[in-house]
Amino acid sequence: MPASPRRTGRWIALLAIVLAFGLLGLRGIWDPDEGRYTNVAMHMLDRGDWVYPHRSDEVGHWTKPPLTYWAIAGSVATFGRNPWAARLPAALAFLLCTWLVWRIARRLVPGGEDQAALAFATMAMPFGASQLITTDFLLAGWETLAMWAFVEARWGEPARARQWGLLLWAAFALAFLTKGPPGLLPLVAMLAFDLLQPRGQRGRLFGFAGPALFLLLAAPWFVVVMLGTPGLFHYMIGDEVVNRIATNEFRRFGTWYGWLQVYVPTLLLGTLPWTPALLRWARRLPADVRGWWRAPQRRREQREWLLPTLWLLLPLLVFCLSRSRLPLYILPLFPALALLVAMQRRREGRGLPDWRAIAGWALLLLVLNLAASQWRTHKDAGEWAKAIRERVQGPITEVCFVSDMARYGLHLEMGAEVEKLSILPEPGDRGIDRVNDSDIAQELAEREPGLVWITKQEKWPQVQARILALGYRPVVQGTPYYGRVSFRVLPAAGG
């Protein structure tokens, strides 16, 4: 690396930009996750309704608050309907986190800011997540912004603490609008940190102005949609919060040992190539914790170590206790890990790694990303769009998946609405979180032009029989694709 600190920072910034944007739009939208988020965002653009998220014209989508959809829709409206634009918010959040880690490190580990930023930018997990469309990187960005404000309020000029406090609560409001209550987890670490400081040196987090700003920014959307959508409050609290924490309803590694299956590999592999430094830190952690527990003055003297440790461990404990676990849930903890890497290497007297090793690792990350873009998978909505256009003649305004996983990514890739249908009507009130948008009979009754229908080959006889019974005639279009039959539906002869 160049000797000049300024030049070093520029090289790190350039490296982060190359990693973020180098191959961002090379592959199509991958279902189900990328397709689900882009589909809702496209509905916002198509309908002009930025308040009520929809997965189809008939069905709302309430699994997440709207900020991720707003970001994707705004990017696509600006840069065009393509995967690059849809992934741009995640890439920008990656760069924001890299910069914020650098800023936080200036306070907590002076002289190690370049190392902290470099560690975050080149860790496997943040890089991989920056190429995906999820809520998690936007959430990481807002949470890290809140932590930077907290650090500046505690380590910076006391006269500006109030302004930093307002930024902290504004950042938490954006985090809450991105993923709801999980966005407030760093607040637990901040409160614990203040409680562990000597009484006269504790800051204030709960004055009037900060929480009031939080409510002013975060509450209006929730109030509007809950008043306008019966049952939504119960769904958001019961299903999206309580059931994710306390039950295995979502079947996301909900066994008692599920955290070992998910988070241990994520931490070991996701922090490469910096994992050895974190393992050395972890070996010293029990001794550090004993010292902090027994000697309050030591907590004050080592508060730069205490804060990132609490930032990492307290939310991680919550994620381990929750019975819904996925690797990306702990992405917002990686800024804390990058800080700990820089602090550990500074404690050991290690400087920045050799630039050739870093360049080689970065090249490996880009090569792996390139290989992923060339991987043929049935989840690639871009390939599905090509296959459908090759098989189906005429205009396509909607694609209906019957008794199959809906490829919602086609909404972005083709500009066509996507719906998931059941073969037979579903009894009773299907509720806010219903699985299917409608059924075959309802869709046929709408008599919309430009429909393409897709179903699994093994379901084809049942689907064909149902359509014939309703007085219509299914016409197969081309050859099957990934075991799916594409077809149009025409009125029966003489109908």
Side-chain angles (χ1 to χ4, degrees), residues 69-256:
Y69 310 131
W70 291 344
I72 296 169
S75 179
V76 168
T78 303
F79 299 104
R81 300 193 175 212
N82 56 75
W84 185 91
R87 295 193 184 102
L88 180 60
L92 292 176
F94 168 78
L95 295 177
L96 174 64
C97 285
T98 303
W99 180 75
L100 289 170
V101 165
W102 190 90
R103 299 294 304 188
I104 294 171
R106 289 194 72 183
R107 294 293 188 186
L108 302 188
V109 51
E113 53 265 31
D114 287 340
Q115 196 147 207
L118 180 64
F120 181 83
T122 56
M123 281 182 179
M125 179 74 162
F127 166 74
S130 72
Q131 308 297 296
L132 297 172
I133 302 169
T134 70
T135 60
D136 300 286
F137 232 132
L138 284 181
L139 179 67
W142 306 134
E143 289 186 3
T144 309
L145 179 62
M147 187 59 72
W148 176 47
F150 180 80
V151 168
E152 291 293 339
R154 297 294 180 268
W155 272 263
E157 300 176 13
R160 299 187 62 190
R162 179 181 174 85
Q163 290 93 322
W164 288 114
L166 292 176
L167 177 60
L168 180 151
W169 284 103
F172 274 135
L174 295 173
F176 200 83
L177 281 169
T178 301
K179 209 168 183 178
L184 302 181
L185 280 176
L187 189 59
V188 178
M190 296 174 186
L191 291 170
F193 174 82
D194 277 349
L195 288 173
L196 291 171
Q197 297 304 301
R199 184 176 297 275
Q201 299 174 6
R202 298 173 184 174
R204 291 183 61 194
L205 280 177
F206 291 102
F208 173 78
L213 178 62
F214 172 87
L215 291 174
L216 180 65
L217 295 175
W221 179 83
F222 287 93
V223 171
V224 169
V225 297
M226 286 183 182
L227 290 176
T229 311
L232 183 57
F233 178 82
H234 180 269
Y235 171 76
M236 284 187 167
I237 300 301
D239 287 58
E240 292 299 318
V241 178
V242 175
N243 286 348
R244 285 183 184 273
I245 294 173
T247 75
N248 193 24
E249 179 181 327
F250 293 87
R251 304 190 186 282
R252 293 177 175 176
F253 301 93
T255 56
W256 69 266

Side-chain angles (χ1 to χ4, degrees), residues 254-372:
T255 56
W256 69 266
Y257 54 85
W259 64 274
L260 289 169
Q261 296 174 290
V262 177
Y263 298 137
V264 171
T266 300
L267 291 170
L268 291 175
L269 299 178
T271 54
L272 288 172
W274 306 92
T275 313
L278 287 167
L279 291 176
R280 295 192 298 271
W281 164 79
R283 282 199 296 268
R284 290 194 54 158
L285 180 61
D288 288 339
V289 171
R290 285 195 297 271
W292 296 334
W293 183 259
R294 295 170 181 171
Q297 185 57 31
R298 192 170 177 181
R299 297 198 293 265
R300 172 64 182 172
E301 294 170 353
Q302 298 183 356
R303 62 183 189 143
E304 290 83 3
W305 284 90
L306 179 61
L307 180 59
T309 301
L310 293 171
W311 184 9
L312 170 66
L313 295 183
L314 292 182
L316 182 60
L317 176 62
V318 174
F319 288 127
C320 290
L321 293 176
S322 170
R323 296 188 64 188
S324 178
R325 308 177 181 109
L326 288 176
L328 283 171
Y329 287 176
I330 63 171
L331 177 65
L333 306 184
F334 274 73
L337 289 164
L339 291 168
L340 291 168
V341 165
M343 297 173 78
Q344 178 65 27
R345 289 177 63 88
R346 291 279 292 180
R347 178 161 61 183
E348 297 168 347
R350 299 171 186 257
L352 289 167
D354 183 81
W355 70 268
R356 288 167 294 188
I358 291 298
W361 173 255
L363 180 61
L364 176 61
L365 291 177
L366 291 171
V367 168
L368 291 174
N369 193 15
L370 177 63

Side-chain angles (χ1 to χ4, degrees), residues 36-68:
R36 185 168 61 249
Y37 292 119
T38 55
N39 175 56
V40 177
M42 293 307 98
H43 270 287
M44 286 184 170
L45 286 177
D46 294 342
R47 297 164 61 94
D49 181 355
W50 294 65
V51 177
Y52 291 88
H54 281 79
R55 76 174 192 223
S56 69
D57 283 340
E58 295 84 5
V59 179
H61 187 76
W62 302 106
T63 60
K64 297 292 184 294
L67 194 54
T68 300

Side-chain angles (χ1 to χ4, degrees), residues 440 444 451-453 467 472-475 477 487-491:
I440 291 176
L444 288 172
L451 266 64
V452 174
W453 304 64
I467 292 172
Y472 292 83
R473 177 169 54 94
V475 180
Q477 306 287 294
F487 59 98
R488 296 276 201 183
V489 175
L490 304 176

Side-chain angles (χ1 to χ4, degrees), residues 391-405:
R391 287 161 173 77
V392 179
Q393 302 299 314
I396 301 172
T397 59
E398 185 174 328
V399 183
C400 297
F401 288 86
V402 185
S403 193
D404 190 13
M405 183 183 88

